[in-house]
Amino acid sequence: MSGGRNPHGGTTVEVKVHPRRGSPSSSSNPPVTRDRDFRLFKQWVPWLIPTFVFANVVVFIFTMYVNDCPENAFHGTCVAPFLGRFSFQPLKENPLFGPSSFTLQKMGALEVDKVVHEHEGWRLVSCIWLHGGAIHVLANMLSLLFIGIRLEQEFGFVRIGFLYVISGFGGSLLSSLFIQTGISVGASGALFGLLGGMLSELFINWTIYANKMAALLTLIIIVVINLAVGVLPHVDNFAHLGGFGSGFFLGFVVLIRPQFKWISQQQSKSGSHAFSVKQNKYLPYQYVLWVLSFLLLIAG
């Protein structure tokens, strides 16, 4: 309120009225949630996938230490002899710049005869942490970082770690059924499981994606290219197929996402505005895919 004098000599009183707090004129509108806003989902800090990469590299270095090419191979035949006991086997024996088959077998490579007749079932899991050479481990770890980091950011370490290990196990199982001789090593089955999980995640969460066909086409191209590599010599495509199938069905179970409208409704409950109609957390087709995939996993 302020006072002043008018030209006629009177006093003018000016009163300024401020709106009350909380009145209808000053109330804020309810927050508008944009459809397909992925910021509504929790984002995780990835640490498990980098840990897996570190573990695989350490295991490979230790495998080369155990291999000790200068001690166990003919003199002068080791590759990169300046590395000492970490030098590689002759390229005729291992073109991937790695250890001998005997060393890989000793370290826990998948060998069906030992699994079946000597009850060494742990080899079905240990083999996914071993690699046949420097080229093998480099290619797999780069792929793991490229695929796994994004998945762990979106779904967390528990689900992605479970998907990785179970897919590797599934790859080992299928490899054991069709390859009865020789040994098998590598994280390729687990990697294909992550690819399979990405594909099933796209299907089961189909309605929340904007560029559905572009994402689907990209994934299919990546999978086909990687499966085509399996026709090369010494590549275990059965492990790839087993890992992909395991990850594909498991992805329907562990990578399912609620609908955006349901998340918005849950967030609005703490505020003054609420949805007039209750939103479903999942759509009917998501429940159907979840149940079918779970049953197929158990049957498998």
Side-chain angles (χ1 to χ4, degrees):
M1 180 177 67
S2 61
R5 189 172 295 278
N6 62 20
H8 302 288
T11 301
T12 302
V13 178
E14 180 182 357
V15 179
K16 294 182 179 180
V17 180
H18 298 277
R20 293 176 58 189
R21 295 181 179 179
S23 63
S25 61
S26 63
S27 62
S28 59
N29 294 325
V32 178
T33 302
R34 295 180 180 179
D35 195 19
R36 300 185 179 90
D37 187 358
F38 281 84
R39 290 174 298 179
L40 292 173
F41 294 119
K42 180 179 179 180
Q43 292 292 307
W44 302 74
V45 177
W47 61 268
L48 185 64
I49 293 300
T51 302
F52 280 173
V53 172
F54 178 76
N56 277 276
V57 172
V58 169
V59 169
F60 177 72
I61 294 175
F62 182 71
T63 303
M64 295 307 303
Y65 176 84
V66 173
N67 185 66
D68 194 7
C69 180
E71 180 69 22
N72 299 310
F74 293 107
H75 179 70
T77 60
C78 297
V79 178
F82 59 88
L83 295 176
R85 69 182 299 152
F86 295 96
S87 57
F88 309 117
Q89 293 295 120
L91 294 181
K92 290 183 178 181
E93 181 181 348
N94 188 341
L96 297 177
F97 297 95
S100 65
S101 298
F102 176 77
T103 300
L104 290 173
Q105 183 187 51
K106 184 165 61 174
M107 291 291 295
L110 177 60
E111 188 176 5
V112 177
D113 186 66
K114 289 185 177 294
V115 172
V116 175
H117 300 291
E118 300 183 24
H119 308 290
E120 296 181 0
W122 51 270
R123 290 181 179 270
L124 294 169
V125 177
S126 63
C127 66
I128 68 177
W129 305 97
L130 298 171
H131 288 84
I135 296 177
H136 191 197
V137 70
L138 178 63
N140 276 353
M141 292 307 101
L142 288 177
S143 300
L144 179 57
L145 287 173
F146 179 74
I147 299 170
I149 290 292
R150 185 190 73 82
L151 285 173
E152 188 178 353
Q153 285 176 334
E154 295 186 6
F155 296 100
F157 69 94
V158 175
R159 286 187 280 184
I160 299 307
F162 184 70
L163 179 65
Y164 181 87
V165 174
I166 297 301
S167 297
F169 178 74
S172 298
L173 282 178
L174 195 66
S175 176
S176 300
L177 291 174
F178 289 95
I179 300 179
Q180 301 291 326
T181 59
I183 63 173
S184 178
V185 295
S188 300
L191 287 172
F192 270 84
L194 295 182
L195 285 174
M198 289 176 67
L199 187 60
S200 58
E201 188 268 328
L202 176 61
F203 287 145
I204 198 167
N205 302 319
W206 185 258
T207 57
I208 71 175
Y209 283 98
N211 301 319
K212 301 176 178 63
M213 296 310 299
L216 178 61
L217 184 61
T218 302
L219 268 177
I220 291 177
I221 291 174
I222 293 175
V223 171
V224 170
I225 291 175
N226 281 273
L227 286 175
V229 176
V231 303
L232 297 175
H234 308 296
V235 177
D236 187 359
N237 219 10
F238 290 109
H240 295 174
L241 292 172
F244 181 83
S246 301
F248 181 74
F249 290 114
L250 192 59
F252 284 116
V253 177
V254 300
L255 302 183
I256 186 173
R257 275 177 157 167
Q259 297 299 300
F260 282 119
K261 292 181 180 179
W262 181 85
I263 299 175
S264 301
Q265 186 179 63
Q266 298 303 307
Q267 293 181 348
S268 68
K269 286 182 178 179
S270 57
S272 57
H273 302 277
F275 285 77
S276 58
V277 180
K278 184 178 179 180
Q279 303 295 321
N280 292 322
K281 186 174 182 179
Y282 302 110
L283 295 180
Y285 85 93
Q286 290 180 296
Y287 287 110
V288 172
L289 288 175
W290 192 97
V291 172
L292 289 176
S293 300
F294 185 74
L295 294 176
L296 286 171
L297 276 173
I298 294 176

